Amino acid sequence: SALKLDLEEKLFGQHLATEVILKALAGFRNNKNPKKPLSLSLHGWAGTGKNFVSQIVTEHLHSKGLKSNFVHLFVSTLHFPHETKIKLYQDQLQKWIRGNVTACASSVFIFDEMDKLHPGLIDAIKPFLDYYEQIDGVSYRKAIFIFLRSARGAGGLWHSGLIDKNLIDYYIPFLPLEYRHVKMCVRAEMKARGMTVDEDVVTRVAEEMTFFPKDEKIYSDKGCKTVQSRLDFH
Ligand SMILES: *[C@@H]1O[C@H](CO)[C@@H](O)[C@H](O)[C@H]1NC(C)=O
C-alpha cells in the first residue's frame, strides 16, 4: 500500500502501468513459491516515467533503492559499449547475476536501454529468467528483472527470443504524456523543492515544452524529462 500511495502521488498519466505493476509485485511477493523470477518489461516514450518507476519500486523492495547492494542497474551504452567485447560482457554479466543472487535471493536487476542491448547479452540473461528450480545450486526464482525500453524507433518487440518462451511476465506500456500531465509534474517538482505552487510558473514551464502532433499539440515530446531544468530557469 505504501508503493501504491507513492505511485499515485508521484507518477502522472500512467494508470495502466501503475495498476499492472502493483498487481505484478503484490502477486509475486505474496507467492511463497514462485516458479520463476519476476520479469517486467517497461516500454514507452522518453520522459514518461520508466526509470522513475523502477527507482520507486526498488526503494520499496530494498530501502536504499538504487544504492542498495541488492539492486543492480545496467545501462547498455554505459556498461556494454563495445561490440567486440560481447563475449567478455556475457561472461561478466552471468557471473554478476549468479554472484549477486547467491548473496541475496531477492536481488533486483534493472536493464536500461534494452533497445540498445546486444542480442548476445539478451541471450546471456535468458537462462536466469526461465522456470528452472535451480542452476548449479542457485535458485533465481525470487529475483526480479526489470527491462526498460524506449519506444522511439518504430516499435517492434525487441528480441523475439525472450518473447517466444514467455520469459517476460508483464509487458507494461507507458503512454505519452499530455499537457495537463506535464503541469502535474511541474507542481510536484515545486512541492518537492518546498516551493509554493505558482500557477503562472507552472503554465510557463508547460508551455515551453514541445508537443506532437505538430498541429494538435496533444502529447509532450519529452514527457516530463526537462521539467526540472526548465523550472530552475524560471
Ligand atoms: C554484483 O553485481 C555488481 C554489478 O552490479 C558486480 O560489480 C559485483 O561483482 C557482483 N557481485 C558478485 C558477488 O558477483
Side-chain angles (χ1 to χ4, degrees):
S1 53
L3 173 61
K4 182 167 186 275
L5 204 69
D6 234 11
L7 289 176
E8 283 170 357
E9 262 174 23
K10 296 179 183 164
L11 182 68
F12 306 116
Q14 307 297 351
H15 296 286
L16 182 62
T18 301
E19 199 184 309
V20 178
I21 287 168
L22 285 170
K23 277 193 184 150
L25 283 170
F28 184 70
R29 293 307 287 263
N30 290 332
N31 183 354
K32 289 209 172 55
N33 200 1
K35 292 286 178 284
K36 71 185 283 308
L38 178 66
S39 55
L40 309 175
S41 171
L42 279 44
H43 59 93
W45 290 68
T48 50
K50 303 183 295 293
N51 272 293
F52 188 52
V53 163
S54 34
Q55 189 185 319
I56 294 176
V57 163
T58 52
E59 278 165 13
H60 286 272
L61 293 167
H62 297 289
S63 58
K64 287 187 193 157
L66 288 173
K67 291 197 197 97
S68 160
N69 289 333
F70 313 128
V71 177
H72 307 274
L73 170 67
F74 301 103
V75 183
S76 300
T77 53
L78 184 71
H79 292 94
F80 316 113
H82 305 296
E83 236 189 286
T84 51
K85 292 194 182 161
I86 289 302
K87 191 82 195 69
L88 171 74
Y89 295 153
Q90 284 179 322
D91 290 345
Q92 243 175 13
L93 184 57
Q94 292 195 326
K95 220 162 93 197
W96 288 346
I97 294 177
R98 191 182 310 127
N100 282 294
V101 173
T102 304
C104 170
S106 39
S107 290
V108 178
F109 301 93
I110 303 168
F111 291 86
D112 194 8
E113 301 184 341
M114 274 312 279
D115 44 310
K116 294 188 186 115
L117 192 69
H118 191 282
L121 283 167
I122 295 177
D123 289 338
I125 303 168
K126 244 193 284 185
F128 300 112
L129 303 180
D130 217 326
Y131 289 81
Y132 302 115
E133 198 168 333
Q134 52 175 51
I135 306 172
D136 299 329
V138 181
S139 169
Y140 296 86
R141 290 178 161 184
K142 295 239 159 96
I144 296 180
F145 292 80
I146 302 175
F147 302 102
L148 311 180
R149 184 173 62 91
S150 274
R152 270 213 207 269
L157 295 173
W158 35 279
H159 190 255
S160 55
L162 281 181
I163 296 149
D164 293 345
K165 293 188 70 188
N166 293 314
L167 296 181
I168 299 290
D169 300 306
Y170 298 91
Y171 282 96
I172 305 169
F174 277 63
L175 308 174
L177 297 186
E178 299 165 27
Y179 180 75
R180 65 196 170 97
H181 299 133
V182 174
K183 282 182 137 181
M184 289 172 171
C185 292
V186 184
R187 288 189 199 106
E189 182 62 26
M190 290 176 104
K191 280 185 202 149
R193 294 185 189 188
M195 302 161 70
T196 39
V197 174
D198 177 338
E199 284 301 322
D200 283 344
V201 175
V202 173
T203 304
R204 259 185 280 149
V205 172
E207 303 245 302
E208 269 188 10
M209 309 290 279
T210 52
F211 292 84
F212 71 95
K214 281 263 172 320
D215 294 329
E216 292 91 344
K217 291 194 161 67
I218 299 174
Y219 302 112
S220 168
D221 273 317
K222 295 200 180 85
C224 282
K225 211 160 198 166
T226 52
V227 158
Q228 299 200 349
S229 53
R230 276 162 209 270
L231 187 59
D232 292 338
F233 181 79
H234 283 284

